[in-house]
């Protein structure tokens, strides 16, 4: 097959008439990233360090299964682990970190997911710099390193990233699901706010570690699914507490959420992947509540999402964010799993595990590369003030399939990415590779 490929190339070169562009045979190499990744999906200039830290969140309201009927609650300290990624001065010796997580839903044999990252455990921090902080928040029954590739990518471009492990209650039956989900409804936004507050306190008290690198004036938030549900509240979109979705949650457990919503929103930008809570059957916001958000927002969604309901839920959220400039990237024919590592599932893994981490149509690695490209552009624009990044976000046409890029007969671009010379193609994508995507934009007031 290889010899046949070379022979065909030779014939193609021989057949090119005088005056046409030359055949380019030099291989395109993009060190550290898949060659198919769009331009900003390539790793940045920094080595990435990582460490896991414990957080104690005081004065949290908890409730048991029986309390959902009686309304009883108790006050306790909530213990969470947070995985931190940061720009490092060097690798610090050893191999990149290997992540591992075991999924064990009810009535299923445990499945261990393993993923080799690009970060180095406890690597020395970068010698200097003030970097924006990004908080990451996973979905229901997810975990902190589920999106470690995205976290590492962001950190490599000059950010400190703190990915929360929300420690959702494990599921062992129907009543456990209801109880766990009710606790998530009351805890996601508070987790995000309290972790941020404690990180900023630690950064102010200690300038020697990873938190000493943080620029506290520029803070972003990334939330997926239920993490997006919490994130929209954390950036200023207070809930409609009369929603029937909250019926199973004791009112005392939602009171701190309401109180926090009356405080200043502590985040400067939001990326919401498949945010849950906009669908008519479980709508937790009013249009007025979402219109209070003023931080710039980028939503990322699957056009066939049947969990958060793209047509009537995610799109509705996007339309109601009238207080801010917002964008929405859509993967056509994708469902809900439009972010997350490309895990190598063990042979014979049950379909429930496959369905939890993979998309039915899109390759997960391809999704990740595109996410990293657009998230990098959005964060650089909104948190670092790099106006050049707008060219990657303000695409020339809503439907990527409508892009045009003229090439002479026989010209081989070999991985060239669209730039100033290709104004009718999505910037940063290789010719013919910007497919299956939509980018919607609305300005504040629209």
């Amino acid at each position: 097959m290889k010899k046949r490929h070379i022979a065909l190339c030779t014939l193609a070169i021989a057949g090119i008439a005088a005056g046409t562009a030359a055949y380019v045979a030099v291989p395109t190499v993009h060190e550290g990233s898949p060659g198919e990744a769009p331009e900003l999906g390539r790793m940045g200039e920094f080595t990435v360090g990582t460490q896991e830290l414990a957080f104690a969140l005081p004065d949290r309201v908890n409730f048991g299964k029986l309390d959902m009927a009686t309304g009883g609650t108790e006050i306790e300290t909530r213990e969470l682990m947070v995985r931190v990624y940061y720009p490092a001065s060097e690798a610090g010796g050893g191999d990149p970190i290997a992540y591992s997580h075991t999924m064990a839903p009810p009535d299923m044999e445990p499945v261990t997911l393993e993923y080799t990252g690009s970060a180095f455990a406890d690597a020395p921090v970068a010698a200097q710099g003030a970097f924006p902080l990004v908080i990451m928040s996973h979905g229901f029954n997810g975990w902190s390193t589920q999106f470690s590739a995205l976290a590492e990518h962001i950190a490599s471009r000059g950010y400190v990233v703190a990915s929360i492990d929300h420690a959702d209650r494990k599921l062992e039956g129907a009543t456990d699901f209801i109880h766990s989900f009710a606790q998530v409804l009351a805890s996601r936004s508070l987790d995000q706010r309290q972790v941020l507050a404690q990180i900023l306190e630690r950064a102010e008290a200690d300038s020697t570690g990873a938190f000493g690198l943080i620029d506290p004036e520029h803070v972003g938030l990334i939330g997926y699914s239920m993490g997006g549900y919490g994130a929209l509240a954390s950036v200023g979109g207070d809930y409609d507490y009369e929603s029937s979705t909250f019926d199973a949650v004791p009112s005392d457990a939602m009171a701190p959420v309401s109180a926090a919503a009356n405080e200043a929103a502590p985040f400067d930008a939001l990326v919401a992947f498949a945010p849950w809570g906009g669908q008519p059957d479980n709508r937790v916001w009013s249009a007025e509540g979402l219109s209070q958000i003023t931080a710039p927002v980028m939503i990322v969604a699957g056009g066939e999402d049947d969990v958060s309901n793209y047509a009537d839920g995610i799109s509705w959220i996007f339309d109601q964010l009238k207080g801010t400039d917002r964008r929405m990237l859509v993967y056509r024919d994708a469902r809900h799993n439009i972010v997350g590592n490309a895990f190598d599932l063990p042979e014979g893994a049950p379909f429930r595990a496959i369905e939890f981490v993979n998309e039915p149509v899109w390759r997960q690695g391809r999704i990740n590369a595109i996410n990293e490209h657009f998230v990098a552009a959005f964060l650089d624009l909104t948190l670092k003030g790099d106006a050049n990044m707008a060219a990657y976000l303000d695409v020339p046409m809503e439907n990527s399939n409508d892009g045009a890029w003229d090439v002479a007969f026989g010209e081989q671009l070999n991985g060239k990415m669209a730039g100033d010379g290709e104004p009718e193609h999505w910037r940063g994508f290789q010719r013919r590779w910007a497919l299956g995507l939509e980018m919607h934009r609305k300005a504040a007031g629209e």
Side-chain angles (χ1 to χ4, degrees):
M1 178 61 76
K2 186 174 182 181
K3 291 182 179 179
R4 172 179 169 80
H5 176 70
I6 294 173
L8 288 173
C9 290
T10 304
L11 289 173
I13 296 170
I16 296 176
T20 60
Y23 185 97
V24 181
V26 179
T28 302
V29 177
H30 308 288
E31 184 177 355
S33 296
E36 68 173 276
E39 184 177 354
L40 303 181
R42 315 299 163 90
M43 294 292 279
E45 63 179 293
F46 292 99
T47 298
V48 179
T50 185
Q51 54 187 184
E52 192 174 38
L53 302 174
F55 282 71
L57 311 182
D59 302 322
R60 293 297 294 271
V61 179
N62 192 22
F63 55 92
K65 293 182 185 179
L66 182 60
D67 296 326
M68 292 190 294
T70 65
T73 58
E74 59 184 7
I75 304 298
E76 62 179 29
T77 296
R78 181 166 165 80
E79 306 283 348
L80 296 180
M81 301 300 294
V82 176
R83 170 67 65 175
V84 179
Y85 304 84
Y86 54 90
S89 60
E90 58 185 69
D95 297 324
I97 190 169
Y99 305 101
S100 180
H101 176 79
T102 299
M103 298 174 59
D107 304 322
M108 188 186 91
E109 288 295 318
V111 174
T112 298
L113 304 176
E114 297 181 343
Y115 188 84
T116 300
S118 59
F120 295 86
D122 301 314
V125 301
Q128 59 184 1
F131 304 104
L133 170 65
V134 177
I135 304 294
M136 295 183 70
S137 180
H138 62 71
F140 182 49
N141 262 233
W143 59 97
S144 63
T145 59
Q146 189 175 353
F147 322 117
S148 59
L150 177 59
E152 290 171 340
H153 180 76
I154 296 169
S156 79
R157 295 181 58 87
Y159 293 84
V160 176
V161 182
S163 185
I164 305 170
D165 194 317
H166 292 281
D168 297 340
R169 180 182 176 86
K170 301 306 177 186
L171 308 180
E172 297 177 0
T175 58
D176 291 295
F177 174 88
I178 296 170
H179 182 211
S180 180
F181 198 78
Q183 289 183 322
V184 170
L185 289 171
S187 66
R188 270 301 188 272
S189 180
L190 292 178
D191 285 353
Q192 295 162 3
R193 285 174 175 267
Q194 282 190 294
V195 167
L196 171 61
Q198 289 197 14
I199 287 176
L200 295 181
E201 288 174 3
R202 295 188 190 189
E204 185 175 2
D206 182 5
S207 61
T208 61
F211 292 158
L213 300 174
I214 291 172
D215 173 4
E217 300 301 317
H218 297 93
V219 181
L221 177 58
I222 297 176
Y224 166 57
S225 192
M226 292 307 293
Y229 151 88
L232 284 162
S234 294
V235 298
D238 195 13
Y239 300 119
D240 172 11
Y241 298 99
E242 298 302 315
S243 168
S244 60
T245 302
F246 297 122
D247 286 352
V249 186
S251 59
D252 285 351
M254 294 304 298
V257 182
S258 178
N262 291 320
E263 301 173 0
F267 295 96
D268 303 301
L270 168 64
V271 179
F273 287 96
W276 189 92
Q279 58 274 36
D281 290 345
N282 296 106
R283 186 162 290 169
V284 296
W285 292 281
S286 66
E288 181 181 1
L290 288 176
S291 71
Q292 302 305 306
I293 295 174
T294 58
V297 176
M298 183 170 73
I299 292 176
V300 184
E304 298 297 327
D305 191 322
D306 53 352
V307 175
S308 294
N309 188 336
Y310 170 74
D312 301 312
I314 299 173
S315 294
W316 179 83
I317 291 173
F318 176 73
D319 288 339
Q320 307 316 311
L321 295 172
K322 297 179 181 180
T324 186
D325 186 30
R326 70 274 196 198
R327 297 172 172 87
M328 181 166 65
L329 174 67
V330 180
Y331 291 90
R332 286 199 295 274
D333 294 323
R335 291 205 183 274
H336 191 62
N337 299 334
I338 40 75
V339 64
N341 294 346
F343 295 105
D344 290 326
L345 288 157
E347 184 177 355
F351 190 77
R352 287 179 63 186
I354 296 170
E355 190 174 37
F356 191 82
V357 297
N358 286 335
E359 274 294 316
V361 173
W362 285 79
R363 285 183 293 115
Q364 216 67 27
R366 178 64 177 161
I367 287 176
N368 288 345
I370 295 171
N371 285 340
E372 289 161 8
H373 171 82
F374 281 112
V375 169
F378 180 75
L379 294 179
D380 281 1
L381 175 65
T382 57
L383 298 183
K384 292 185 176 180
D386 187 348
N388 294 324
M389 294 295 106
Y392 296 93
L393 298 163
D394 300 337
V395 293
M397 65 284 302
E398 185 176 280
N399 183 345
S400 66
N401 293 22
D402 294 335
W405 182 344
D406 293 333
V407 178
F409 173 72
E411 181 180 4
Q412 303 296 307
L413 298 174
N414 196 26
K416 177 185 175 184
M417 293 166 286
D420 291 337
E422 296 77 36
E424 297 303 313
H425 195 274
W426 280 26
R427 190 179 187 91
F429 281 78
Q430 300 90 337
R431 181 176 179 266
R432 302 176 62 245
W433 280 66
L435 285 174
L437 301 166
E438 298 171 11
M439 179 68 84
H440 304 265
R441 183 181 182 187
K442 290 189 176 184
E446 290 187 68

